[in-house]
Amino acid sequence: MAGGDESALGALYDRWADAVNALVVRIVRDEAEAEEVVEAVFWQAWQQAARYTTDRGAPGAWLLAMARSRSLDRLRALRRRRDEQPVDDSVFDNQPAVGDPLSELDANERASRVVSALQHLPDEQREVLELAYFEGLSQTEIAERLGLPLGTVKTRARLALRKMRDRLDALREVEA
Amino acid sequence: MSTPNERDEVFVALPDLALGLLPAAEAERLMSIVATSQSLQAELASLRGASNALAHGVPAAPIAADRKAAMRERLMTRAVSVKLDSAESTSTTRTPTGTTVTTPTFSATLKLEPRESRSTPIIREVQIPARLSLVQRISPFLAIAATVAFGLAVFRLQDIMQQRNDAEDALRVATVEATRTSAQLAISDSLIAAMSGANVRVVDMVSTKKLAPGAKMFWDRVANRWTMVTHDLPSAGEGRTYQLWLVTARAEKISAGTFNTDARGRAVVQATYVLAARDLAAIAITEEPTGGSPQPTGTILVAGAATQ
């Protein structure tokens, strides 16, 4: 793709469009807005392919990082447009009990591991983690949103991510 | 160099860095300390990996096949177009355009005058006034003839350039059309394969009401590919979406993605999911809030039992 081969863009799109869309929909929560963001993500990937290096992670991770960044930008713009009305989180209170279909088996395994790792977190830690990752809120904003002291938010976020990392490592070792 | 105390402080705050929770200045300060320690760098990398993994844990939301194809087509068309534009601008710098060709024409014409005036002293030197007067007489005609010749050449060159531009435009249109056709063919082939293979099992889904909506699910049990086609299903309302569920024999509801229908009530949804043949009990469609739900919350609109 870095050499300007548009068929590589097509292959990247075929492989990752649904996964990118799932992340964007999860963050933006508006399918029409999400579609614009997804298209912009792939166009950005096409334009920046020459600058991609493996130290940015696997292509999928690179693409999803761009998708998250653009989605959070769009979410913030939507919030401003909606006069800072907070997004209704009730739909996402619980993670699905079983893995969700993604575009291939490896993705299924990844999704299943992540969901499993998230389910092992106490609810209050998972909540902070999801607000940080999927809504891009700062520690102060999370504290305000949840009505908690800033120190509590910091502790929960740090514990949550370390536990999640350890759980993912453990699952990887079990698979190996 | 950082002190052990600073490194301890940074170690504790590494999840904040990995999650991007810190203001830029604070993040920069911590990163300067991370840069001094390999163990901090390794810890940060593993935490960032865990943070990035969250992207894989979201509910599936496959794009409706027609919208996915349309988006692909837009991207490919745009990429091909930009590539062609880029190639054109590169060749323009190498090849003179009508404008750059015209300039030397006029400069050549203007150069005739000093050459003509310069001939006067030379003629005086050799002192052949009779031949001089002949040259002087025919010089204006030569100049006019040269100008006309240049004009004709430029006109012809411009004509050739125009033909070349027209050919390039036609090639661009043909390339875009070929890309579009190729993408459509690939989608059609994929759909045909997903719906007609020897291992494809078909589940008829019927409306729970007396109205017409219905759907067919084509399940390729070898490729684990699910293709659902709906008909006469009105678009979900504002802030709502349809969600497809695979219901297992143990009554687990597995989301197979969200979708919406077009103006004619049609949608094609594709997903890949591994499920043993005996594990599928039913397939159902519910209406859910935009983004989908972890478990069904709305009424079942269309459903089919996997009795085969």
Side-chain angles (χ1 to χ4, degrees):
Chain A
M1 199 160 84
D5 177 6
E6 64 275 2
S7 68
L9 172 65
L12 188 77
Y13 178 84
D14 293 340
R15 166 71 182 80
W16 287 101
D18 285 340
V20 167
N21 188 61
L23 177 61
V24 175
V25 167
R26 171 67 178 85
I27 293 174
V28 175
R29 299 179 192 184
D30 181 310
E31 285 182 2
E33 296 280 350
E35 198 166 311
E36 283 181 26
V37 175
V38 171
E39 188 166 339
V41 167
F42 280 96
W43 186 243
Q44 185 180 348
W46 167 254
Q47 290 183 306
Q48 296 186 353
R51 280 187 268 163
Y52 168 75
T53 54
T54 50
D55 60 4
R56 294 187 176 201
W62 174 62
L63 205 56
L64 289 171
M66 278 194 291
R68 179 186 176 233
S69 173
R70 277 194 167 262
S71 301
L72 290 175
D73 287 346
R74 182 62 64 99
L75 181 65
R76 289 177 188 124
L78 287 172
R79 277 200 191 119
R80 285 194 293 274
R81 216 185 296 162
R82 293 167 187 161
D83 297 320
E84 302 293 327
Q85 290 294 313
V87 177
D88 176 15
D89 287 318
S90 58
V91 170
F92 298 99
D93 280 347
N94 298 303
Q95 289 296 315
V98 292
D100 290 284
L102 291 180
S103 54
E104 65 171 54
L105 190 60
D106 285 347
N108 272 325
E109 287 174 359
R110 272 200 302 270
S112 155
R113 287 180 187 181
V114 173
V115 170
S116 166
L118 277 170
Q119 283 175 335
H120 273 76
L121 295 178
D123 289 346
E124 65 275 13
Q125 289 178 15
R126 186 170 63 230
E127 184 178 37
V128 170
L129 196 59
E130 290 184 347
L131 285 173
Y133 186 83
F134 293 115
E135 299 211 17
L137 298 184
S138 68
Q139 291 168 327
T140 309
E141 289 168 327
I142 295 171
E144 284 170 7
R145 170 82 70 91
L146 300 178
L148 293 170
L150 182 58
T152 306
V153 169
K154 285 184 180 180
T155 305
R156 286 181 184 177
R158 291 167 182 176
L159 282 172
L161 190 60
R162 285 206 154 96
K163 278 186 194 173
M164 168 123 181
R165 186 266 314 269
D166 295 345
R167 179 74 188 166
L168 288 173
D169 286 348
L171 288 170
R172 194 179 304 130
E173 282 167 16
V174 168
E175 289 290 324
Chain B
M1 280 297 290
S2 57
T3 65
N5 280 346
E6 280 177 327
R7 286 197 292 275
D8 288 348
E9 175 212 347
V10 171
F11 182 85
V12 171
L14 283 179
D16 306 347
L17 259 182
L19 284 166
L21 287 170
L22 299 174
E26 178 66 358
E28 199 173 326
R29 185 185 76 81
L30 296 191
M31 281 306 293
S32 69
I33 298 171
V34 170
T36 65
S37 161
Q38 285 190 343
S39 61
L40 287 178
Q41 288 169 24
E43 176 74 0
L44 179 59
S46 76
L47 289 170
R48 278 188 171 149
S51 171
N52 291 339
L54 287 165
H56 298 295
V58 298
I63 309 168
D66 55 342
R67 280 151 68 184
K68 188 173 178 180
M71 192 191 300
R72 189 185 201 280
E73 186 183 315
R74 286 196 300 273
L75 281 165
M76 299 297 279
T77 304
R78 209 169 155 195
V80 169
S81 175
V82 166
K83 201 164 118 179
L84 286 172
D85 285 348
S86 168
E88 188 177 347
S89 77
T90 308
S91 68
T92 301
T93 57
R94 288 198 302 267
T95 308
T97 63
T99 310
T100 52
V101 167
T102 306
T103 307
T105 305
F106 283 110
S107 68
T109 308
L110 291 168
K111 278 178 187 171
L112 287 176
E113 292 177 10
R115 195 177 298 158
E116 191 180 359
S117 62
R118 194 187 59 188
S119 66
T120 307
I122 296 170
I123 291 162
R124 270 204 299 270
E125 263 182 40
V126 295
Q127 295 179 349
I128 41 173
R131 292 177 74 182
L132 235 184
S133 71
L134 178 62
V135 170
Q136 282 174 330
R137 278 203 306 275
I138 66 169
S139 288
F141 298 107
L142 285 174
I144 291 167
T147 304
V148 169
F150 270 118
L152 287 172
V154 168
F155 179 77
R156 178 63 186 144
L157 187 57
Q158 283 177 332
D159 189 37
I160 291 169
M161 294 296 288
Q162 183 59 47
Q163 287 178 17
R164 179 182 161 237
N165 289 340
D166 290 346
E168 283 180 350
D169 286 345
L171 175 63
R172 184 181 308 161
V173 169
T175 306
V176 168
E177 191 57 39
T179 303
R180 179 183 299 132
T181 306
S182 171
Q184 284 170 343
L185 275 175
I187 291 160
S188 299
D189 286 349
S190 164
L191 279 175
I192 290 167
M195 295 162 73
S196 62
N199 300 298
V200 173
R201 175 175 171 185
V202 182
V203 178
D204 277 312
M205 302 167 69
V206 295
S207 170
T208 54
K209 299 176 182 174
K210 288 185 179 176
L211 296 174
K216 271 189 195 301
M217 172 68 93
F218 300 86
W219 176 19
D220 185 332
R221 286 172 290 177
V222 171
N224 299 307
R225 192 88 176 140
W226 302 78
T227 304
M228 189 200 63
V229 184
T230 69
H231 61 83
D232 299 315
L233 185 62
S235 289
E238 181 74 21
R240 309 285 291 174
T241 187
Y242 290 119
Q243 193 159 2
L244 178 62
W245 302 95
L246 311 178
V247 184
T248 70
R250 288 175 294 171
E252 289 172 327
K253 285 92 177 175
I254 302 167
S255 170
T258 58
F259 67 96
N260 209 340
T261 52
D262 63 16
R264 286 184 286 180
R266 295 182 313 182
V268 179
V269 181
Q270 283 200 310
T272 303
Y273 188 70
V274 182
L275 195 64
R278 63 181 178 281
D279 287 349
L280 181 70
I283 297 166
I285 297 171
T286 61
E287 194 182 78
E288 303 291 339
T290 297
S293 302
Q295 289 293 297
T297 62
T299 310
I300 294 175
L301 301 171
V302 183
T307 54
Q308 296 168 22

